[in-house]
Amino acid sequence: MSAVLRYETKLGELPTLTGTPTHYCAGCEHGTLTRLLASAVDARGARERAVLVSSVGCSVLAHEYLNLDAVQAPHGRAPAVMAGIKRVRPDLLVFGVQGDGDAVSIGLLELMNAANRGEPISIFLVNNAIYGMTGGQMAPTTPPGMVTTTTPAGRDVASTGRPIDATKLLLGLEGPSYIRRVFLPVAPTSSPDTFNARGALEGEAAIRHAFETQERGGFSFVEFVSTCWVNWKVSILESKRYAARVLAPLFPPGLYRDRFGVEGR
Amino acid sequence: MKRETIVAGHGGQGVLELATWLAYSQLVRGRHVAYTPSYGPETRGGKVRCYVVASDDPIASPIVETPDLLIVMNTPSMDFVPSLRPGGTLLVNRSLVGDVPAHPELHVVEVPATQLAADLGPSFPEAGPDTSIAANAVMLGAVLALEGGRWPDEAPIVDRVLRHYLTDRKAALLPLDAAAAETGFRSIRDPSSERAPPARTVAA
Amino acid sequence: MSDPPEFLKGNEALAYGALRAGLTAFYGYPITPSSEIPETLAAAFGRPSYPRFRVFLQAASELEAINLAIGSAATGARTMTATSGPGFSLKQEGISYAAAMELPLLIVNVNRAGPGLGNLGPEQSDYFQATRGGGHGGYRTIVLAPDSVAEMARMPSLAFALAFRYRTPVIVLADAFLGQLKEDLELPEVAAEAVETPWAVTGALGRERHVLASIHLELADQNRHSRHLQEKFATIGRLEQRAEDVATDDADVVIVAYGICARIARAAVVALRDRGCKVGLLRPISLAPFPRDRIDDLVLSGVRRFLVLELNHGQMVDDVQLAVAGRAEVRSVTEVGGLLPSMAALGAAVESMSDRPASFVDAEEVDA
């Protein structure tokens, strides 16, 4: 933890931001997402009726940065906590940020069942293909061959299975109303050493659509393909190139379901 | 007044139901009651044993170790006979258990409950092909008779108990079970009735 | 004939008791022998007589159930979950978080025989798990133990009152016997009291935001929070001990028993007193906090023999020993596996204690 805490990334000023410097590493999409969430909550004017559920992983302190009522859930259980809040207080805008280990490994049951019941909540999954907070162990989304601290010879799919595609798993259920995957990192362009930030724009739009879906009574899920240069043990720029080269084909971005047509408006 | 009863039989004989009815028949008389179902998976054919305690005073323990009344619905349940209190009553379903030898310290009463219930079939075609399931209602009537009640004075109690429990889909069984209870009662207290062969009280 | 009283199973009575105590949200996963609790609540859901009962959900797992409950409790809603042994183990993670976040929450454990899958018979073998916190980290909860169907119905009201007064999870520890036992009872009145929940997560409308979190990365923060929790439980320990005395005034031997064992002991006290044996019963109603002050009173009033009756290998006996602190003889009588101790065995144990001098006697008494 202390190694992570030395970073102090500032996110700017918005009513839904506390202004507390974050513990997120420079170049990490968690910081980006926090800013986008605040922006989307404010765009909806929902700060005083929104509840954040933070999870276990790098998003564990999300409630320190988002200026909202918040509950911090046990590891993997955020969807259940969100549903428990929403069921007694359907007037609240309830959303949570989860990592891939939290949502897709230890918390897969909670994610799948909240989705299957179509709980009107919004879940934002940061998929950076590794356990960040605990120091770089294999995640359910780790690509084949990736070196982690628990797969020092690279992920061997014969022994550990193939990466789990959470978006496609949810697509197998009738419950979810909105499913989108966004490539959040800055993306390499055809010009060398030039990147575009289209992912952040798409990301904020996806969050707004997820909120709209929730308030129409549907379950919404957005997976953000992200990076973790610290635990991938590469430079920040190389992490963005790796994400574009390896993760984007493995987890293709796009709109997978929009039952209420919120994106067409 | 305090009376402790054990009802024993196999799954599917309505043992739990009979014990509940007996408890409720005491409840409507204003007594405190405690009913304990037997433990174990309640699959058909499994061993079932229930406790019923009825008392004018609050009940200390609902557990029955030495019953005043033991109702035995099938042969394996005769295993419980040694637990009966000296002077206690053993009420036996003779249809399945057969004749019971006389016992010097017990009051043994045999009622052919399964047979009496099956014999009601022709009168209750709507109850299905096999009315022997009403053997437990026969025993309910028999117990009311053993308690010293008179017919038809006891009919409202039977009616109240059955109406409380036979609701929804089970309501169709109400006429059969009411008739079975009356048959059981008369098998003890009205040996002259043509419909009901008399119970056999085994003399010591 | 007038309307008879209610005649319900313990589990059913508890469910109605919770409804009358203003239950708002229930989450549970089926497990014998506690499933009548969700079944009764499912049947009552939507009835106009319980307008405050707004959420019933069968969860996908015990873990999901306790975490759904955490979410609802965080909003200040009266929330309950119910389970039995194996499910109680699974819920411990959530109970630890709820204790840390100081959430009022009612958890019912209808104790069955164990360890592992065990069987469906009654045991009291989850006593340690319930009274020592049970999950990770240093915390305690309040644990209440009913001994009749009527008390199963009354317990949710007390449990919710304590849960909200102290902002803590409260466990009702029943046993399989009480859950399945049917007795006559009068259901408690419907509670009307509204509880203030100024800490709840409800959206930060016109006020400072509320954050319910159990993470305290600064060591000093965690230290402060842990001390706060322990001080709270110390206060509960002083103020919320509950026990019932049966014929302890002149007793030579005091049986200590809760749940179904207390019922057996009640009958034993009557039978043994008829035979001239001066025996009484102390029935802990709160297992945590343990009614150690009552034990202390009994010791100070001269009781030198305690017999602890439980359906486990001897767990509550430790708490009795701690309260007695070497000042009296403490004997443990136990039964396990879903079986119950017989009256005869209990009577023999009591009489063997009362017929001879206490094996503990302090020096002054020997001299006397």
Side-chain angles (χ1 to χ4, degrees):
Chain A
M1 217 28 240
S2 55
V4 177
L5 277 175
R6 70 173 180 261
Y7 297 98
E8 289 203 347
T9 308
K10 296 194 176 164
L11 300 174
E13 289 184 11
L14 284 171
T16 295
L17 288 173
T18 58
T20 305
T22 78
H23 70 287
Y24 300 130
C25 310
C28 170
E29 284 74 24
H30 266 292
T32 316
L33 178 61
T34 305
R35 163 88 199 189
L36 299 180
L37 287 167
S39 176
V41 168
D42 286 333
R44 216 173 170 82
R47 197 192 75 79
E48 293 184 328
R49 60 180 179 82
V51 173
L52 163 75
V53 174
S54 43
S55 61
V56 173
C58 285
S59 49
V60 71
L61 292 177
H63 56 268
E64 297 280 328
Y65 316 129
L66 289 169
N67 183 23
L68 303 165
D69 267 18
V71 182
Q72 193 265 311
H75 196 15
R77 320 296 173 220
V81 174
M82 282 182 247
I85 295 167
K86 185 77 177 185
R87 288 222 170 207
V88 290
R89 289 297 303 266
D91 54 315
L92 300 176
L93 180 72
V94 181
F95 69 96
V97 183
Q98 296 188 269
D100 41 75
D102 192 71
V104 190
S105 195
I106 197 169
L108 190 58
L109 177 141
E110 284 77 8
L111 173 65
M112 293 295 282
N113 283 284
N116 188 52
R117 292 191 300 259
E119 302 278 355
I121 57 177
S122 301
I123 294 177
F124 303 112
L125 168 64
V126 175
N127 173 8
N128 57 13
I130 204 158
Y131 280 73
M133 175 68 91
T134 47
Q137 296 83 10
M138 182 186 74
T141 49
T142 296
M146 184 189 247
V147 172
T148 73
T149 59
T150 51
T151 56
R155 180 174 187 172
D156 172 14
V157 296
S159 165
T160 64
R162 293 201 39 89
I164 297 177
D165 186 330
T167 286
K168 283 192 183 151
L169 277 185
L170 292 188
L171 208 53
L173 302 174
E174 286 300 311
S177 296
Y178 180 82
I179 303 174
R180 184 181 248 295
R181 186 149 48 199
V182 174
F183 185 84
L184 190 55
V186 290
T189 65
S190 49
S191 312
D193 295 331
T194 307
F195 294 80
N196 75 56
R198 203 173 296 138
L201 298 174
E202 281 180 21
E204 185 175 348
I207 295 165
R208 292 182 190 209
H209 293 136
F211 287 163
E212 176 65 22
T213 299
Q214 176 180 162
E215 302 219 288
R216 291 186 185 203
F219 176 92
S220 48
F221 176 83
V222 183
E223 177 178 353
F224 295 94
V225 175
S226 303
T227 66
C228 183
W229 64 271
V230 171
N231 286 300
W232 291 357
K233 297 181 173 60
V234 295
S235 70
I236 293 179
L237 287 186
E238 179 51 28
S239 75
K240 310 306 171 193
R241 294 191 187 99
Y242 179 88
R245 190 173 72 248
V246 177
L247 296 189
L250 201 54
F251 304 108
L255 178 63
Y256 286 81
R257 185 179 291 165
D258 181 10
R259 189 162 285 154
F260 300 148
V262 294
E263 292 209 5
R265 299 169 77 236
Chain B
M1 172 274 176
K2 181 184 177 192
R3 206 188 55 216
E4 301 187 338
T5 303
I6 289 180
V7 189
H10 61 248
Q13 285 190 302
V15 171
L16 297 163
E17 193 174 38
L18 170 57
T20 312
W21 290 344
L22 291 174
Y24 201 76
S25 74
Q26 293 293 332
L27 184 89
V28 299
R29 293 183 203 273
R31 298 200 170 106
H32 293 287
V33 290
Y35 154 89
T36 308
S38 80
Y39 286 100
E42 288 171 17
T43 50
R44 276 175 196 280
K47 232 181 179 179
V48 183
R49 172 201 56 189
C50 309
Y51 306 140
V52 179
V53 182
S55 174
D56 289 329
D57 301 315
I59 293 164
S61 173
I63 299 160
V64 179
E65 294 186 21
T66 51
D68 308 297
L69 170 65
L70 171 65
I71 303 172
V72 168
M73 296 296 285
N74 67 348
T75 303
S77 300
M78 289 297 286
D79 291 352
F80 295 110
V81 171
S83 68
L84 258 169
R85 194 180 295 270
T89 301
L90 172 63
L91 178 59
V92 174
N93 177 11
R94 196 173 70 210
S95 306
L96 298 187
V97 178
D99 289 347
V100 177
H103 192 291
E105 291 187 332
L106 302 177
H107 177 51
V108 181
V109 180
E110 297 174 335
V111 174
T114 304
Q115 188 60 50
L116 290 176
D119 291 346
L120 292 170
S123 309
F124 297 92
E126 72 282 1
D130 182 8
T131 55
S132 67
I133 50 163
N136 60 351
V138 173
M139 285 306 208
L140 168 67
V143 172
L144 294 178
L146 288 172
E147 284 170 356
R150 301 186 67 82
W151 201 267
D153 300 355
E154 295 293 308
I157 296 275
V158 169
D159 186 64
R160 206 156 162 194
V161 169
L162 295 181
R163 278 187 195 284
H164 185 75
Y165 285 105
L166 300 179
T167 54
D168 304 326
R169 275 183 305 175
K170 282 187 165 182
L173 292 171
L174 218 148
L176 168 67
D177 280 330
E182 181 176 350
T183 302
F185 190 99
R186 290 184 186 282
S187 75
I188 302 271
R189 300 281 294 201
D190 185 12
S192 65
S193 165
E194 287 181 17
R195 260 174 84 186
R200 173 168 168 264
T201 299
V202 181
Chain C
M1 282 178 276
S2 60
D3 277 351
E6 300 285 345
F7 180 51
L8 298 172
K9 277 190 180 187
N11 285 337
E12 297 165 342
L14 185 134
Y16 284 117
L19 290 170
R20 283 161 187 251
L23 180 71
T24 296
F26 177 88
Y27 306 96
Y29 183 81
I31 181 167
T32 310
S34 66
S35 295
E36 292 88 355
I37 296 172
E39 287 168 355
T40 303
L41 292 171
F45 189 66
R47 277 193 217 155
S49 39
Y50 302 112
R52 293 164 75 182
F53 184 32
R54 297 208 313 276
V55 180
F56 173 89
L57 181 64
Q58 179 175 329
S61 74
E62 298 280 3
L63 285 172
E64 201 195 18
I66 188 75
N67 285 285
L68 285 157
I70 283 173
S72 292
T75 70
R78 292 192 179 204
T79 308
M80 179 170 88
T81 181
T83 188
S84 185
F88 191 55
S89 291
L90 287 165
K91 288 192 195 296
Q92 294 303 329
E93 175 196 61
I95 297 171
S96 168
Y97 277 79
M101 293 192 283
E102 301 189 82
L103 293 179
L105 180 57
L106 172 50
I107 302 118
V108 180
N109 177 9
V110 183
N111 202 157
R112 61 190 241 182
L117 210 48
N119 67 38
L120 311 179
E123 265 191 8
Q124 297 176 323
S125 44
D126 298 348
Y127 179 91
F128 278 154
Q129 192 181 22
T131 61
R132 265 59 179 171
H136 63 282
Y139 71 94
R140 299 286 175 119
T141 62
I142 295 171
V143 183
L144 303 173
D147 87 329
S148 68
V149 171
E151 202 170 29
M152 289 283 271
R154 289 195 302 269
M155 230 25 134
S157 171
L158 173 62
F160 277 130
L162 293 172
F164 280 87
R165 186 178 309 154
Y166 294 103
R167 282 188 60 185
T168 181
V170 174
I171 290 156
V172 171
L173 186 61
D175 57 65
F177 199 105
L178 285 176
Q180 300 301 312
L181 172 68
K182 270 190 184 183
E183 293 186 294
D184 58 294
L185 75 156
E186 301 289 345
L187 284 172
E189 294 298 311
V190 175
E193 57 180 303
V195 182
E196 296 289 313
T197 55
W199 45 266
V201 162
T202 57
L205 178 59
R207 59 157 169 77
E208 288 294 299
R209 72 200 192 101
H210 296 158
V211 175
L212 296 171
S214 61
I215 185 168
H216 305 279
L217 289 174
E218 291 295 334
L219 308 191
D221 288 347
Q222 182 64 48
N223 179 280
R224 197 177 307 117
H225 185 60
S226 280
R227 286 176 184 278
H228 162 68
L229 293 178
Q230 293 312 314
E231 282 164 14
K232 178 167 77 172
F233 201 77
T235 302
I236 292 169
R238 278 197 311 279
L239 302 180
E240 305 298 346
Q241 296 179 33
R242 283 171 168 76
E244 178 191 2
D245 281 80
V246 179
T248 54
D249 282 351
D250 62 340
D252 290 331
V253 179
V254 170
I255 303 170
V256 186
Y258 69 97
I260 187 59
C261 283
R263 299 296 294 276
I264 299 169
R266 278 176 201 279
V269 167
V270 173
L272 289 164
R273 286 251 168 199
D274 282 350
R275 299 215 294 267
C277 178
K278 284 188 188 172
V279 59
L281 164 67
L282 181 72
R283 175 175 78 92
I285 297 170
S286 62
L287 302 179
F290 189 73
R292 57 178 186 269
D293 293 352
R294 269 310 290 147
I295 301 262
D296 197 51
D297 291 344
L298 290 170
V299 172
L300 292 176
S301 70
V303 174
R304 287 292 175 270
R305 301 172 187 89
F306 290 89
L307 188 153
V308 185
L309 178 70
E310 359 172 30
L311 300 179
N312 53 46
H313 288 295
Q315 298 186 12
M316 183 172 69
V317 66
D318 286 13
D319 283 331
V320 176
Q321 292 273 23
L322 283 169
V324 165
R327 294 171 294 170
E329 180 184 2
V330 178
R331 184 185 288 190
S332 174
V333 175
T334 65
E335 188 55 274
V336 291
L339 300 176
L340 297 165
S342 71
M343 284 269 291
L346 177 59
V350 169
E351 285 182 319
S352 77
M353 273 188 111
S354 66
D355 284 351
R356 56 174 176 68
S359 61
F360 170 90
V361 277
D362 59 36
E364 286 172 18
E365 282 191 43
V366 172
D367 290 338

